[in-house]
């Protein structure tokens, strides 16, 4: 019969070997200065050893061996046991702190949404590998250095860890796309082709959208948003030669997806030297007041870029003045200006010309099945 496996005993605390030195001093009736004279060590060194502030080194152990008539390995072992206990305590404290860090992330939801998490690792190692960092401190350093500018609204406060996880997944997915170097003129020249895609069925838009943008140096990806983020999209410069647009299906209709896409394009084209990384959180009607006045100006510029690129203001004004706002007339108008009818409905609803229940039959509803990836 095999012997049962023994669990090593680990004491709660291990005294510093300096306490044993003090006991021997008391036994001999010596002072710390007496020991300093006998060992040839400085009084400061003896004091720090006795007070647990300095270790017993091999050379000190040899000196104590001669003075106290106790072998050097005794002192070295006492120091080794103390060092091991201290290391275990530091590891325990660090492990507890790291588990606290993990609890801040929605790792269960990330797995459910099929984020790019490594398999077979602990939750701590899973997150460290996912973010490509060595420690929670490293993660904090990397995240803080990203200099994110939020379109934070008054109605919503984002959870930082969930936002960071979504951003990282966007980066990972985007790394699989091949892009040309950024070319602003080519991107502006491609706006018409991108706008034409709004007329296509949802199931066929992602590949050409990514292809057109990749040819201009912009990687475009769609990643499901995590709860407590409220993210509609982000625009980011990965380098001077490559930009990134990340989108969610927060609103689940084609008009909102396209508006978010052109809004992020607006950030890329208008705000490169003002904000290199913008995450957009918006209220349901895209009209909530932005907290930061500076960001409010940039958001208004990106909104105006998206709105005017999708629907020429003059044409929209003429159409509204006619006063005929049926599904048929909206469809005919969208055909004339070369944009999807859902885009027109969304704009009229946003401007308060249509109620939010009117015209929705002209919108395309979106689900993650349309991407073919999730």
């Amino acid at each position: 019969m095999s012997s049962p496996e023994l669990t090593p005993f680990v004491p709660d605390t291990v005294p510093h070997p300096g306490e044993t030195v003090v006991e021997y001093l008391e036994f001999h009736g010596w002072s710390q200065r007496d020991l300093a004279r006998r060992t040839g060590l400085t009084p400061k060194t003896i004091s720090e050893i006795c007070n647990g502030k300095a270790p017993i080194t091999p050379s000190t152990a040899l000196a104590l061996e001669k003075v106290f008539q106790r072998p050097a390995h005794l002192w070295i072992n006492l120091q080794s046991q103390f060092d091991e206990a201290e290391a275990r305590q530091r590891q325990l404290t660090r492990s507890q702190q790291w588990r606290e860090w993990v609890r801040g992330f929605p790792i269960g939801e990330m797995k459910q949404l099929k984020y790019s998490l490594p398999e077979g690792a602990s939750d701590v190692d899973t997150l460290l590998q996912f973010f490509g960092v060595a420690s929670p401190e490293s993660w904090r350093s990397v995240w803080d250095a990203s200099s994110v500018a939020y379109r934070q609204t008054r109605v919503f406060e984002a959870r930082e860890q969930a936002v960071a996880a979504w951003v990282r997944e966007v980066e990972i997915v985007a790394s699989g796309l091949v892009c040309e170097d950024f070319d602003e003129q080519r991107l502006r020249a491609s706006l018409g082709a991108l706008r034409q895609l709004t007329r296509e069925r949802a199931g066929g838009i992602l590949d050409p959208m990514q292809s057109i943008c990749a040819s201009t140096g912009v990687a475009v990806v769609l990643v499901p948003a995590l709860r407590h983020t409220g993210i509609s999209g982000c625009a980011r410069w990965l380098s001077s030669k490559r930009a990134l647009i990340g989108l969610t299906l927060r609103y689940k209709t084609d008009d909102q997806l396209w508006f978010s896409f052109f809004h992020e394009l607006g950030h890329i084209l208008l705000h490169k030297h003002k904000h290199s990384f913008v995450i957009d959180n918006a209220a349901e009607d895209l009209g909530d007041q932005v907290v930061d006045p500076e960001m409010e100006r940039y958001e208004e510029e990106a909104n105006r870029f998206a709105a005017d690129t999708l629907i020429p203001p003059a044409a929209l004004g003429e159409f509204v003045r006619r006063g005929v706002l049926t599904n048929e007339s909206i469809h005919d108008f969208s055909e004339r200006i070369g944009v999807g009818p859902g885009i027109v409905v969304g704009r009229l609803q946003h401007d308060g010309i249509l109620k939010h229940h009117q015209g929705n039959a002209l919108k395309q509803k979106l689900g993650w099945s349309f991407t073919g990836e999730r």
Side-chain angles (χ1 to χ4, degrees):
M1 184 173 66
S2 60
S3 300
E5 186 175 340
L6 298 178
T7 302
F9 170 72
V10 179
D12 292 336
T13 60
V14 174
H16 188 277
E19 293 186 23
T20 304
V21 172
V22 171
E23 291 175 1
Y24 273 88
L25 287 177
E26 292 174 351
F27 176 79
H28 289 284
W30 296 340
S31 68
Q32 292 183 16
R33 187 168 294 276
D34 289 333
L35 183 59
R37 294 191 188 100
R38 291 174 180 274
T39 58
L41 301 171
T42 66
K44 179 181 179 182
T45 298
I46 296 299
S47 175
E48 289 181 341
I49 290 174
C50 291
N51 288 290
K53 296 180 179 179
I56 292 179
T57 65
S59 60
T60 301
L62 289 172
L64 294 175
E65 178 182 68
K66 294 180 176 64
V67 174
F68 289 135
Q69 304 297 304
R70 291 295 182 266
H73 65 75
L74 166 70
W75 306 105
I76 292 174
N77 286 341
L78 289 174
Q79 184 66 53
S80 178
Q81 291 168 16
F82 175 80
D83 290 344
E84 180 183 353
E86 287 285 287
R88 287 185 183 279
Q89 185 58 48
R90 286 194 298 270
Q91 185 181 59
L92 178 61
T93 301
R94 184 166 140 176
S95 177
Q96 291 171 341
Q97 292 172 343
W98 286 21
R99 284 197 293 270
E100 286 297 320
W101 175 71
V102 168
R103 278 194 279 271
F105 291 90
I107 192 166
E109 187 184 2
M110 292 163 66
K111 291 177 179 178
Q112 182 181 7
L113 294 177
K114 297 183 172 62
Y115 274 35
S116 306
L117 299 174
E119 297 181 358
S122 67
D123 285 351
V124 171
D125 288 338
T126 292
L127 284 178
L128 293 178
Q129 292 179 47
F130 174 72
F131 284 107
V133 296
S135 68
E137 293 78 16
S138 300
W139 170 80
R140 169 55 60 188
S141 178
V142 170
W143 179 245
D144 287 348
S146 61
S147 299
V148 179
Y150 291 93
R151 183 202 184 277
Q152 185 62 61
T153 67
R154 295 187 185 280
V155 300
F156 195 85
E157 183 175 352
R159 182 171 157 186
E160 182 183 41
Q161 293 92 334
V163 172
W166 180 83
V167 168
R168 178 57 179 160
E169 181 66 9
V170 167
E171 293 173 349
I172 293 172
V173 176
S175 68
L177 300 180
V178 177
C179 293
E180 302 290 335
D181 289 346
F182 180 73
D183 187 325
E184 181 178 344
Q185 290 184 341
R186 179 178 292 182
L187 178 56
R188 290 187 179 277
S190 300
L191 292 178
L194 290 167
R195 186 172 172 275
Q196 283 290 322
L197 288 178
T198 65
R199 305 177 64 187
E200 303 296 328
R201 298 302 303 171
I205 63 174
L206 184 59
D207 287 345
M209 177 198 293
Q210 289 180 324
S211 179
I212 292 171
C213 289
S215 70
T216 71
V218 181
V220 178
V221 298
L222 280 84
V223 170
L226 296 161
R227 290 190 294 271
H228 308 297
T229 61
I231 294 174
S232 57
C234 75
R236 184 177 190 182
W237 284 93
L238 299 174
S239 71
S240 62
K241 296 183 178 180
R242 192 180 192 197
L244 166 65
I245 290 177
L247 299 170
T248 70
L249 291 185
R250 183 179 176 197
Y251 300 102
K252 299 181 175 60
T253 55
D254 64 329
D255 61 311
Q256 299 283 11
L257 175 67
W258 281 115
F259 187 89
S260 294
F261 169 69
F262 279 96
H263 177 97
E264 304 307 336
L265 274 183
H267 283 310
I268 296 295
L269 289 170
L270 302 176
H271 305 143
K272 176 181 180 181
H273 300 296
K274 300 169 184 175
H275 286 294
S276 62
F277 190 0
V278 177
I279 295 178
D280 285 300
N281 298 324
E284 292 300 319
D285 63 358
L286 295 177
D288 185 54
Q289 185 179 3
V290 180
V291 175
D292 183 350
E294 182 184 28
M295 279 305 299
E296 185 169 19
R297 177 166 64 87
Y298 296 138
E299 289 302 313
E300 288 177 352
E301 291 173 356
N303 280 342
R304 179 51 51 197
F305 173 87
D308 292 352
T309 300
L310 286 166
I311 304 177
L316 178 63
E318 180 182 352
F319 172 66
V320 171
R321 283 192 294 272
R322 292 178 183 175
V324 182
L325 300 175
T326 63
N327 282 5
E328 183 178 0
S329 68
I330 291 172
H331 184 274
D332 291 344
F333 172 67
S334 67
E335 286 289 309
R336 287 200 304 274
I337 65 173
V339 73
I343 308 298
V344 179
V345 172
R347 175 64 182 276
L348 294 174
Q349 289 176 341
H350 178 266
D351 291 351
I353 298 170
L354 290 181
K355 297 186 181 300
H356 286 289
H357 67 275
Q358 294 179 306
N360 289 330
L362 297 177
K363 295 183 181 182
Q364 295 189 62
K365 294 184 178 180
L366 306 177
W368 283 104
S369 57
F370 97 89
T371 67
E373 296 179 355
R374 299 189 183 261

